Amino acid sequence: MALTTASTLEFLSKKPYTPPSWASHLNPLPSHVFSLAHLPTPIHKWNLPNLPPNTHIYLKRDDLSGMQLSGNKVRKLEFLMADAVAEGADCIITIGGIQSNHCRATAVAAKYLNLDCYLILRTSKALVDQDPGLTGNLLVERLVGAHVQLISKEEYAKIGSVTLTEVLKERLIKEGRRPYVIPVGGSNSLGTWGYIEAIREIEQQIESETSNVKFDDIVVACGSGGTIAGLSLGSSLSTLKARVHAFSVCDDPDYFHDYIQGLLDGLNAGVNSRDIVHILNAKGLGYALNTSEELSFVREIAATTGVVLDPVYSGKAAYGLVKDISENPKKWEGRKILFIHTGGLLGLFDKVDQIAPLVGKWHRMDVNESVPRQDGIGKMF
């Protein structure tokens, strides 16, 4: 796969996949990939305030991988959807939270490929019997015709995502369907290839720049494990050799180290997850829950840099990074850091009530009576 943006005629096409030479020993290797994302995504300097001397942060804009599919999930789906089509699936099943970016991206990708999509969405006990509404990701999912099934957080905790998707899979098979199950976040060993491939993309972007910047660190949010598994394995195998730091927005670092180890073992990588990725806890109040400080940070970063972070993933990861830099400036001094913006803008719509008090700068425009007025002069088409 070349660095240059694919021809528009290649979008949504299925192509043979050749892995990077440094990853060719992994097993199993994907045979094909679907062109779903707009790649390569840009990298640019990110002028965050109050950095230590000679510390530079760059931003990898995976939030710009394509509007309806934007974010990190589409990279995994390029491989997962190719496998689903190869297996003859006529529908896709996946599962996540009520505002899951992965579920929204999967619903869109499935419809692009003329597949039905069934989403199991986790919500509160009080809302599980109600219409889930059209806020954020739900609007896109429902517009593209996804079949939404709600499960309470309590039932989810007792049954688990694997069993829930299996129950729905068996039901659809009895109806004569051919379902393909994608796990939470698209995070299995096959999905991990999305960010192994992203490392090759970053390598090529660095090589094409005259500045030839070398990144010391890669920082990213962690919500299901597949993204950091691919980034950390790819970085350790490639010429990058950047240290990967992940800020977990749910569960805890030990859980993710163990889960990622399973993904690495599924690729016969022969490495220990604790040797290639540093995981810090950034879940705060819990998954998809935000403190006022976190949301104030998201607003401040948008107002000072123009970059809009999502509140669930990149917002928490960037908040955790800036806090760690502030508390341990010597640790980060002189480092060149690449932060991966994993997308999730639609999740902000679920936080409007919390964000509303933080934004202002509006008032009625007062026009002096001396300004001429004439009916019909201001056309409103």
Side-chain angles (χ1 to χ4, degrees), residues 263-343:
L263 301 183
L264 298 174
D265 291 346
L267 293 171
N268 292 294
V271 295
N272 189 316
S273 68
R274 285 171 171 80
D275 293 335
I276 61 173
V277 61
H278 177 220
I279 305 177
L280 302 92
N281 195 330
K283 69 179 177 181
L285 297 176
Y287 178 73
L289 301 175
N290 291 102
T291 64
S292 58
E293 290 81 7
E294 288 168 349
L295 292 177
S296 293
F297 173 82
V298 169
R299 184 203 62 79
E300 179 187 353
I301 296 305
T304 56
T305 73
V307 174
V308 180
L309 300 168
D310 82 292
V312 180
Y313 298 98
S314 290
K316 285 193 175 185
Y319 179 77
L321 172 63
V322 170
K323 185 178 179 182
D324 197 51
I325 289 174
S326 175
E327 293 173 353
N328 306 286
K330 290 295 182 185
K331 169 183 170 184
W332 298 96
E333 187 174 326
R335 310 287 286 182
K336 288 184 173 63
I337 304 161
L338 180 63
F339 186 95
I340 312 292
H341 188 334
T342 52

Side-chain angles (χ1 to χ4, degrees), residues 336-358:
K336 288 184 173 63
I337 304 161
L338 180 63
F339 186 95
I340 312 292
H341 188 334
T342 52
L345 174 64
L346 289 170
L348 275 170
F349 290 90
D350 197 43
K351 304 289 181 181
V352 291
D353 291 341
Q354 285 180 269
I355 294 172
L358 305 176

Side-chain angles (χ1 to χ4, degrees), residues 93-96 103 118-122 149 151 164-165 168:
I93 298 171
T94 197
I95 187 167
C103 288
Y118 291 81
L119 305 177
I120 303 173
L121 301 181
R122 183 181 65 245
Q149 307 215 1
I151 192 81
L164 286 169
T165 52
L168 181 53

Side-chain angles (χ1 to χ4, degrees), residues 47-65:
N47 296 312
L48 291 183
N50 305 317
L51 295 178
N54 298 316
T55 299
H56 301 283
I57 299 183
Y58 295 78
L59 201 55
K60 174 72 168 162
R61 300 296 301 270
D62 273 11
D63 59 316
L64 303 179
S65 58

Side-chain angles (χ1 to χ4, degrees), residues 9-215:
L9 294 178
E10 292 181 8
F11 185 59
L12 301 185
S13 66
K14 186 178 173 185
K15 300 177 291 187
Y17 179 71
T18 303
S21 58
W22 41 259
S24 60
H25 65 287
L26 300 177
N27 183 50
L29 297 174
S31 60
H32 288 80
V33 61
F34 258 110
S35 175
L36 298 175
H38 301 172
L39 303 174
T41 56
I43 294 175
H44 64 81
K45 193 84 173 285
W46 196 18
N47 296 312
L48 291 183
N50 305 317
L51 295 178
N54 298 316
T55 299
H56 301 283
I57 299 183
Y58 295 78
L59 201 55
K60 174 72 168 162
R61 300 296 301 270
D62 273 11
D63 59 316
L64 303 179
S65 58
M67 180 52 201
Q68 292 168 186
L69 285 162
S70 67
N72 59 325
K73 309 304 182 185
V74 65
R75 290 188 185 269
K76 305 174 187 180
L77 289 169
E78 289 197 323
F79 292 91
L80 294 164
M81 286 298 183
D83 191 49
V85 170
E87 291 195 5
D90 64 4
C91 59
I92 304 293
I93 298 171
T94 197
I95 187 167
I98 192 70
Q99 282 295 329
S100 167
N101 298 311
H102 161 70
C103 288
R104 177 253 305 155
T106 303
V108 174
K111 194 54 63 173
Y112 277 169
L113 304 178
N114 199 30
L115 303 172
D116 283 337
C117 186
Y118 291 81
L119 305 177
I120 303 173
L121 301 181
R122 183 181 65 245
T123 188
S124 68
K125 185 185 289 186
L127 298 176
V128 73
D129 293 316
Q130 299 180 23
D131 187 311
L134 298 172
T135 298
N137 288 301
L138 281 164
L139 175 60
V140 177
E141 291 160 357
R142 299 180 76 178
L143 276 174
V144 300
H147 302 267
V148 174
Q149 307 215 1
L150 303 179
I151 192 81
S152 72
K153 294 176 182 177
E154 290 78 11
E155 286 182 294
Y156 186 99
K158 291 177 181 177
I159 300 171
S161 63
V162 174
T163 300
L164 286 169
T165 52
E166 192 60 31
V167 167
L168 181 53
K169 178 181 178 180
E170 291 175 5
R171 186 185 310 160
L172 289 171
I173 289 173
K174 288 179 181 177
E175 295 174 4
R177 306 301 302 271
R178 300 186 303 277
Y180 181 93
V181 175
I182 295 177
V184 173
S187 291
N188 57 16
S189 293
L190 179 59
T192 297
W193 279 96
Y195 272 87
I196 295 174
E197 180 60 33
I199 289 292
R200 169 157 62 178
E201 180 178 301
I202 295 167
E203 266 190 321
Q204 292 175 337
Q205 286 177 294
I206 291 171
E207 290 169 3
S208 69
E209 291 295 320
T210 55
S211 58
N212 201 28
V213 62
K214 177 172 172 54
F215 296 117

